[in-house]
Amino acid sequence: PISKDFEVAILTHRKGEAWPAHYHKVATEYNVLLDGSMRIAGEVITAGDIFWFEPGDVAYPEFLEDCRVCVVKTPSVIGDKYEVLSTQK
């Protein structure tokens, strides 16, 4: 569901899936890892862990297992996703 105030999604990612590094200029993104394990910001997280990104923080996940993630982004701003060309973590 999308509104001007927030977006909510459940995303599924396969182990080893390439997901482009990106950031948001406006939105804060809150995430709950529902299943699996992943590395984010150099830290391994597992099911039940909560992590978030403030505007300008670069997200560069590495999926260590198949994962499902609940994502809440606020506010909802169309086009507020900017890929980072460098693959530095």
Side-chain angles (χ1 to χ4, degrees):
I2 299 176
S3 79
K4 65 180 180 167
D5 299 317
F6 64 92
E7 302 175 28
V8 178
I10 303 287
L11 302 178
T12 301
H13 300 282
R14 295 286 181 206
K15 177 181 177 178
E17 177 182 338
W19 189 254
H22 69 280
Y23 65 95
H24 305 285
K25 289 184 179 179
V26 177
T28 299
E29 182 179 297
Y30 301 95
N31 302 271
V32 179
L33 183 58
L34 301 174
D35 297 302
S37 67
M38 61 189 288
R39 186 182 329 274
I40 195 82
E43 183 178 338
V44 174
I45 61 171
T46 58
D49 287 344
I50 299 169
F51 58 101
W52 63 92
F53 301 99
E54 300 286 339
D57 291 346
V58 175
Y60 189 81
E62 178 185 354
F63 303 105
L64 305 175
E65 299 176 325
D66 290 351
C67 294
R68 280 188 325 129
V69 184
C70 177
V71 181
V72 178
K73 194 168 75 168
T74 183
S76 177
V77 177
I78 294 172
D80 184 38
K81 183 175 182 178
Y82 302 88
E83 287 189 17
V84 176
L85 298 178
S86 171
T87 58
Q88 293 181 343
K89 297 178 186 178

